[in-house]
Amino acid sequence: MNLKHRIVSIAVCAMLVSAGPAIGQTPAPAQAPPAADTPAPPADAQAPPPAPDAPPAELKTLDQEVQGLKKDVVDLNKDLFVLQEELLFPANTQVALYISMDVGTFFALDSVTVKIDNKEVKNYLYTAREADALLKGGVQQIYLGNLKVGKHELVAFFTGKGPVERGYKRGATINFDKGVGAKYLELKITDRVPKHQPEFMIKDWE
Amino acid sequence: MRRASLAGGLILGLAVGTASIAAAPSIVGKAAPDFVLRGLDGRNLRLSEFRGQVVLVNFWTRSDGDSRQQMPALDRINITYQRAGLVVLGISVDEDLRRSKEFAAAMSVSYPILFDTGTAIGKDYYLQKMPMTILVDRSGVVRYSAVGFRRGDERVYLDHIRELLRE
């Protein structure tokens, strides 16, 4: 059921969202009719004063409709994203790689290069803001791809500034078995306090 | 008869030339493709991190005479308008990174100079001739693009910059 039904339901959703305003609203007349409950102005009065109460109510309804539409679009976008992930990176071949950093006293991250089975799959340069975000506890998905079931080798090269502000380049390797389910790996940069050196590890999340 | 055929050929050539110019892709009106590049000072800068500011991106090469004239003009613009929210980024697309760095250091401009040795950014921005200058508005959309540089062009840049800063 899954994929076909989902695509159909998302397409229906998209149609509803696009047709939303047309369905939800009654067709606006070319000219606004005079309010029925307002008393008729005297014949000798000049131009009728604008009704102060009517526009805010209309605007409120319109605003609610706009908010509803925005929510629909956000929901639809979420569904499409999930669908795209499922189509492009099916669970049986999916490999996701994350990076996290702890403390960072002995290492300032500049770039990461990732090779899987000796083929470069990612080279990422970090700005100061991104490195700060990692130091504050952020976890970044650095790579998402597909791999066949079987044995694979992942090598990550970390470049940055090490202790005493010197250029520092280190690598970490992991040999892992890709099963039928999705594979999650994490590159971890931590401080090894006794040696005053950074430590680079790759963790295999089973 | 001969003159007539020559004139016909000329008109045809001009028409073809005009068509090819018109067909050249433009990035104006599109979202500025994001990039992250290493700067002369070793810092990495990402274009999308300047969202909310007006960004002038100047692609240049060391060998181009126009770039040598343009950089001091952009430096003056940067010094004057950076407090108003303008960011100027110079991007060298030279293949020779070492010489390019030497050149950038010698020019000693006040805005960051970044170095691109790949081809992806050139393709994304349809780089054809150097220098190329683009203006990105606060929402990240390219609003102006200019190829080459002549004295007085900085006034055109300033008109666009002021307009974008006012938005």
Side-chain angles (χ1 to χ4, degrees), chain B residues 110-132:
Chain B
S110 58
Y111 56 88
I113 299 286
L114 312 171
F115 298 92
D116 176 35
T117 49
T119 55
I121 297 174
K123 278 182 189 165
D124 288 348
Y125 282 88
Y126 308 120
L127 296 188
Q128 287 169 346
K129 202 185 159 208
M130 294 291 122
M132 182 174 162

Side-chain angles (χ1 to χ4, degrees), chain B residues 7-165:
Chain B
L10 192 64
I11 289 165
L12 188 70
L14 277 172
V16 169
T18 315
S20 68
I21 289 166
S26 169
I27 195 155
V28 176
K30 295 176 185 168
D34 195 20
F35 57 78
V36 58
L37 292 170
R38 197 183 303 281
L40 186 64
D41 59 357
R43 285 187 308 150
N44 301 325
L45 293 180
R46 184 181 290 279
L47 178 66
S48 58
E49 288 187 357
F50 297 107
R51 190 66 58 88
Q53 290 172 284
V54 175
V55 186
L56 185 152
V57 185
N58 172 235
F59 296 94
W60 59 270
T61 55
R62 184 176 39 89
S63 54
D64 184 35
D66 287 352
S67 298
R68 290 168 193 259
Q69 283 186 22
Q70 191 185 26
M71 286 170 85
L74 294 180
D75 194 33
R76 285 192 293 275
I77 290 175
N78 180 55
I79 290 166
T80 312
Y81 285 91
Q82 63 179 349
R83 275 175 288 174
L86 175 75
V87 174
V88 178
L89 300 175
I91 300 179
S92 160
V93 290
D94 264 325
E95 285 176 3
D96 190 336
L97 187 62
R98 187 181 60 82
R99 286 193 173 181
S100 183
K101 279 185 174 176
E102 284 171 3
F103 176 77
M107 292 300 286
S108 69
V109 287
S110 58
Y111 56 88
I113 299 286
L114 312 171
F115 298 92
D116 176 35
T117 49
T119 55
I121 297 174
K123 278 182 189 165
D124 288 348
Y125 282 88
Y126 308 120
L127 296 188
Q128 287 169 346
K129 202 185 159 208
M130 294 291 122
M132 182 174 162
T133 306
I134 63 160
L135 277 168
V136 182
D137 70 10
R138 294 182 195 274
S139 60
V141 175
V142 178
R143 296 283 291 275
Y144 171 77
S145 165
V147 176
F149 181 78
R150 286 182 188 172
R151 277 183 193 171
D153 277 358
E154 62 263 39
R155 278 179 231 138
V156 181
Y157 299 162
L158 282 174
D159 287 343
H160 288 280
I161 288 167
R162 287 189 197 115
E163 196 182 317
L164 292 178
L165 285 173

Side-chain angles (χ1 to χ4, degrees), chain A residues 87-175:
Chain A
L87 284 172
L88 294 179
F89 309 105
N92 56 340
T93 59
Q94 189 184 101
V95 173
L97 185 63
Y98 298 86
I99 183 164
S100 69
M101 208 171 168
D102 192 20
V103 188
T105 316
F106 306 122
F107 186 68
L109 183 62
D110 180 72
S111 71
V112 173
T113 305
V114 179
K115 285 184 176 183
I116 295 180
D117 298 329
N118 221 16
K119 187 186 167 194
E120 188 176 309
V121 293
K122 192 77 185 179
N123 183 20
Y124 198 93
L125 282 180
Y126 286 86
T127 64
R129 278 190 195 177
E130 289 169 325
D132 275 352
L134 286 177
L135 284 174
K136 283 176 183 166
V139 178
Q140 179 205 3
Q141 187 184 62
I142 191 170
Y143 173 72
L144 185 65
N146 295 301
L147 273 183
K148 285 179 189 170
V149 172
K151 289 188 185 300
H152 299 277
E153 184 193 52
L154 185 144
V155 185
F157 297 99
F158 304 86
T159 315
K161 280 188 178 169
V164 214
E165 290 286 301
R166 282 187 183 170
Y168 203 90
K169 189 172 182 180
R170 288 289 183 278
T173 309
I174 188 170
N175 289 298

Side-chain angles (χ1 to χ4, degrees), chain A residues 4-87:
Chain A
K4 244 185 183 175
H5 280 208
R6 239 183 197 169
I7 291 170
V8 170
S9 65
I10 283 170
V12 170
C13 264
M15 282 169 67
L16 280 176
V17 167
S18 61
I23 294 166
Q25 285 178 330
T26 49
Q31 270 192 328
D37 53 348
T38 49
D44 58 343
Q46 289 180 352
D53 296 332
E58 277 174 19
L59 280 178
K60 202 177 170 185
T61 322
L62 192 66
D63 189 46
Q64 280 171 349
E65 276 179 25
V66 169
Q67 289 303 323
L69 274 175
K70 278 185 181 173
K71 191 183 171 300
D72 287 346
V73 169
V74 170
D75 289 345
L76 186 66
N77 196 27
K78 186 182 70 185
D79 285 347
L80 281 173
F81 177 76
V82 171
L83 184 66
Q84 179 188 313
E85 292 282 299
E86 283 178 8
L87 284 172

